[in-house]
Structure formats: C-alpha cells, structure tokens
Amino acid sequence: MDFQEDQSRSFINWRGPKWESPFRTSAAWLKSRRGENEDEKLWRVHDKLYDLSKFTAVHPGGEQWLTLTKGTDITEAFESHHLTDTARNLLPKYYVRDAKTARNSPFTFKEDGFYDKLKRKVMTAMKGAKRGPTAQSKMFADCYTFLYLVLGTLSAAYSSLLLAVCSGVCLCCTTVIAHNFFHQRNNFRMYYFAFSGFSVKAWRISHGLSHHLFPNSRQDLEITMFEPFLQWTPHPDKTWITRFVSWIYSPIVYCFLFHSQWISRLIISPEGMIELIPLTLPGAMVFFGVPITSALMWWNVITIIGSFCFSVVGINAAHHHPELLHDGDEPRDRQEMDWGIYQIDAVRDRVEIQGVFPLVIILFGDHTLHHLFPTIDHFHLYGLYPILEETCKEFGIEFRMGTIWDLIRGQFRQLSRNYTITFRKR
C-alpha cells in the first residue's frame, strides 16, 4: 500500500462520540450514537428511518442486536451482517420516512462499489454453505474451555505454576474463540467469553458494533477506551511519556485488562447472575478441596496470565502499524470512502497463520476477511482470499500482508507515531 508521510494533522470527516462521563463504556458509546439519530425510537439504514420494534423478537440474528441499536444509525452493521438480499427486501415493510439530515459517517456502500462487488462474489462462492459456526469451531471452543477449567483446578490442587500458565493460555484461547460466537445469534458458547470477566453484551457493542465497523477511528471504542494511557492515533502533540514510556507500562495494562473490565462493571452496571461465570474456576477448585484463599490466589494468577496473553494477541493482531490508516491520517478519498476499502486500509493479516486452522480462531487470524464478513465462520475464510485478491486487483488496490514480528514491532512504532500519512487514491 502506497503512503507518504505528512507532518500536517488531517481528519476523517466525521464526529467522534461525545463523552458525558470519564468512563468510556459501551453504554456511553451507544448513548452517543443515539444522540446522532433523528429519532431515538427508530433505526436508520442509509438515508431512511425504520421502525423495527415488531421485528425485534423474530430477528434471525437474535433480539439483542436490534434492542441494543434502537435509535442509532445501523447502516454499517446492516450491510456487513446481511450478505444476501433477504433483509434488504424486508426493510420496506418497516419504512417510516426519509431522514432529514446527513449521516454522521463517511462510508459508502454504492452499488458496484468495492464492498458491494466483493460481497456478491462471496455469496455466489458460498451458495448453499452454512455461514455460521462449524463443528470444528464448536469443538475447539469446548476443548479449550474444558482445558482451562481442568488445568486451572489442577494448578491449585498441586500448586503448579506451569499448570497455571497452561490454564491462562487456554483462557486466552477460549476468550478469542468465544468472541466469534457473539457475532452470531444468541448461543451458549458465546458465554465462554465471560470466563475472562468480559461482558458479552458490552463486547457486542465495543467490539462488534464499534471496533469491527469503525476500526482505528474515533468511533472505535477499542482505541478510545485505552486513552490517555495508550494512544495509537497519530498526533503532533503526543507527549514523550505516551510515545515512549508507554512501551514499558503497556504490558502492565495487559495483565489487568480482565480484572479491570469485570470489577468496573460490577461497580458501574452489573449484569446479574452472568457476573458469576468468572467464579466458576475458583468454585471448582474449592469443590475439589482447595482452600478458598489458595483458590482465589491461583484464580487471580491464571486470570492475569490469560489477560496478558489475550492483550498481546489482540493488540498485535492486525490494526496498529505505522502503515495502517488511523484517525488523523488522510484516507484515499474523502468524498467516496467505500467501507470495504477502509477496512483493508485499517487491517493487516499475518502471513504465518493465514488459513491455518485452528490458529486463525485462537489468534484473530484471517483478520481482514473477518472484519469484512464477521458472521462467516473462520473455517470458511481462507477459501475467500482468491475472491478478495481478485476484487482488490479489479479496483487497483494492493492487498498486503505482514509477519507476526512486523506487527508486534509496528504497534510500538504506532504508539510513538506523531506524524500523519496520506493514502493515495486508487
């Protein structure tokens, strides 16, 4: 991908969320999105408003997605989650009126545009195939969850740090795999994600609706929630501490991500009995005779290890590199920002794990295609690379991949980057 350094500050032409609280939570992000819409009782798709209230209970993707997004612009979610014309053909039944204001989003989904053509090619290639979780994905999700619980219990019973490390790694793998299931309709495996202390509901917002749809922008909660401690967006006013000292303290942040998410949610907005899921492991330890103080100690050790591994995998997976588009950089075309092209500019895959199953589902692999088609199971994504590369070539876009080491180095370089880049038009 061609780019050039530019010392001037530039912006993607849209507004970021207006935070009314110092806590940048998923609920606060959704509230800011509702403030952008003309009517908080309606859903916006492109330039039309719809009342989907009567459709919510029978939504094939699950009721929660529509409940969460009521009163917001769901254009990006609608386009990327509905790959056939079925949902599009249903919309007129729920039409209320045309929108009176322009969308607060620069992204386009024009007919015969990049994403439209790519999506239609993918649907033709997958005709007749089940897009949801495959038997392979379900098996690995179950196995890693089982290993996390068994190895964790044994680590406490035998006071084994080695077993605790293995259990922590399995917790990381379980969390990454489980995130694929909350992109789908409600299912019990998505709650494997809660063993980490993360909330499925909150992450459906912060990851599924925020990060996946608007990566590396001010609408990406997975960037803004780390600020001011970690600042991946380029800015000439970055301090020396945030640019370079963050290299040292960022691993400490990694270690306590699981704990901080769970504890802060318990204080601010607990979600009932679901909050007990993280206590399954110490409960199992006590059940098998481990003293409660020892059980809590080993559970915390395992959670810290899992949190560190998950953060290393997630933060170094695909997005933070000086050659990737971030808020503040100049995109290819301000007037016509095809959503699919934006995803390619903001994501980079790791060549070592491309198509290697199950590595792709435990290491956020095949990440570009996962962003473009979040409801397609990872098991199918590798077969779609020829279609992606063909469409990129058709639109004059270079599809580049990186190495694991390059992306790890790149995220630290990105933390220190205070200059902007300009992506050349296709």
Side-chain angles (χ1 to χ4, degrees):
M1 183 178 299
D2 292 330
F3 70 98
Q4 60 188 38
E5 293 186 11
D6 184 354
Q7 295 301 321
S8 65
R9 174 71 169 167
S10 56
F11 294 89
I12 295 174
N13 187 27
W14 64 340
R15 301 184 305 276
K18 294 181 180 179
W19 301 107
E20 298 178 359
S21 165
F23 299 104
R24 297 181 177 183
T25 63
S26 298
W29 183 85
L30 264 186
K31 185 176 181 180
S32 74
R33 293 283 291 174
R34 292 190 183 100
E36 299 170 359
N37 211 24
E38 295 178 17
D39 192 323
E40 294 194 5
K41 296 181 180 179
L42 302 177
W43 290 258
R44 178 170 182 161
V45 180
H46 295 293
D47 293 322
K48 298 181 185 297
L49 299 178
Y50 302 89
D51 185 355
L52 303 176
S53 301
K54 295 181 179 179
F55 182 68
T56 300
V58 294
H59 179 223
E63 182 177 356
Q64 188 179 60
W65 289 111
L66 290 181
T67 302
L68 290 172
T69 56
K70 184 176 183 179
T72 70
D73 182 343
I74 60 170
T75 302
E76 285 79 9
F78 178 85
E79 291 288 351
S80 59
H81 286 68
H82 302 101
L83 305 184
T84 67
D85 290 328
T86 303
R88 192 182 309 277
N89 294 335
L90 278 173
L91 274 182
K93 180 179 179 181
Y94 302 98
Y95 170 80
V96 176
R97 62 178 172 85
D98 285 2
K100 298 176 181 177
T101 59
R103 292 203 316 125
N104 179 37
S105 172
F107 299 125
T108 61
F109 296 86
K110 292 186 176 180
E111 187 175 354
D112 291 330
F114 176 85
Y115 188 65
D116 180 71
K117 281 198 171 184
L118 176 64
K119 183 162 64 171
R120 294 188 182 281
K121 288 178 184 179
V122 166
M123 284 300 93
T124 299
M126 292 198 64
K127 189 174 182 179
K130 183 181 177 181
R131 299 193 301 271
T134 60
Q136 293 91 335
S137 294
K138 294 175 182 177
M139 178 187 70
F140 281 108
D142 295 341
C143 287
Y144 276 107
T145 302
F146 176 77
L147 287 172
Y148 156 64
L149 294 171
V150 171
L151 293 174
T153 302
L154 290 174
S155 71
Y158 293 99
S159 298
S160 171
L161 182 58
L162 176 61
L163 290 176
V165 170
C166 293
S167 177
V169 171
C170 288
L171 174 59
C172 164
C173 295
T174 297
T175 307
V176 178
I177 295 174
H179 112 274
N180 297 296
F181 289 89
F182 69 58
H183 284 296
Q184 312 290 335
R185 66 176 296 120
N186 289 355
N187 59 88
F188 76 88
R189 287 184 178 86
M190 70 183 187
Y191 290 104
Y192 290 168
F193 192 74
F195 283 116
S196 65
F198 284 151
S199 161
V200 173
K201 178 182 176 181
W203 270 67
R204 274 188 159 179
I205 300 168
S206 66
H207 186 78
L209 297 174
S210 174
H211 168 72
H212 252 260
L213 303 181
F214 313 110
N216 293 1
S217 75
R218 300 311 299 169
Q219 290 283 0
D220 183 353
L221 193 54
E222 291 188 10
I223 280 186
T224 57
M225 71 185 297
F226 285 101
E227 296 175 347
F229 306 106
L230 301 177
Q231 295 184 15
W232 284 289
T233 54
H235 197 287
D237 297 331
K238 272 187 182 180
T239 67
W240 186 84
I241 291 177
T242 56
R243 291 184 66 198
F244 299 108
V245 180
S246 60
W247 293 16
I248 299 172
Y249 64 69
S250 57
I252 300 174
V253 176
Y254 299 169
C255 289
F256 296 99
L257 186 61
F258 284 179
H259 279 95
S260 63
Q261 290 273 306
W262 186 54
I263 294 171
S264 62
R265 192 172 62 256
L266 287 176
I267 296 171
I268 299 171
S269 57
E271 298 177 4
M273 297 299 291
I274 292 176
E275 302 293 5
L276 298 178
I277 293 177
L279 299 177
T280 304
L281 179 56
M285 293 174 178
V286 173
F287 180 81
F288 286 101
V290 178
I292 188 168
T293 53
S294 180
L296 290 173
M297 182 198 73
W298 283 105
W299 169 61
N300 278 291
V301 168
I302 291 168
T303 303
I304 289 171
I305 294 169
S307 180
F308 178 81
C309 294
F310 176 84
S311 299
V312 168
V313 170
I315 291 173
N316 296 290
H319 296 284
H320 301 310
H321 190 285
E323 296 177 13
L324 294 177
L325 183 63
H326 288 73
D327 175 78
D329 296 325
E330 186 69 28
R332 295 170 184 267
D333 190 338
R334 283 178 177 271
Q335 303 303 317
E336 186 180 333
M337 290 183 62
D338 185 285
W339 182 82
I341 294 175
Y342 178 86
Q343 295 287 338
I344 289 175
D345 286 347
V347 185
R348 179 162 294 176
D349 286 311
R350 291 152 294 172
V351 67
E352 295 95 338
I353 62 173
Q354 182 186 18
V356 182
F357 203 83
L359 292 183
V360 291
I361 61 170
I362 63 174
L363 296 175
F364 293 110
D366 295 339
H367 209 67
T368 304
L369 282 164
H370 178 55
H371 263 255
L372 291 165
F373 305 105
T375 59
I376 296 180
D377 187 81
H378 267 82
F379 187 76
H380 299 300
L381 293 180
Y382 180 68
L384 302 179
Y385 272 107
I387 297 173
L388 175 61
E389 291 167 356
E390 173 191 310
T391 310
C392 285
K393 186 176 181 181
E394 180 181 346
F395 282 80
I397 299 168
E398 182 183 6
F399 178 69
R400 293 178 61 183
M401 303 189 73
T403 65
I404 293 174
W405 176 239
D406 182 46
L407 282 165
I408 291 174
R409 287 190 306 116
Q411 80 97 354
F412 288 105
R413 290 167 57 201
Q414 182 63 30
L415 282 173
S416 65
R417 178 159 76 96
N418 61 352
Y419 60 87
T420 62
I421 62 174
T422 299
F423 284 67
R424 294 176 181 171
K425 294 182 181 180
R426 60 184 185 275

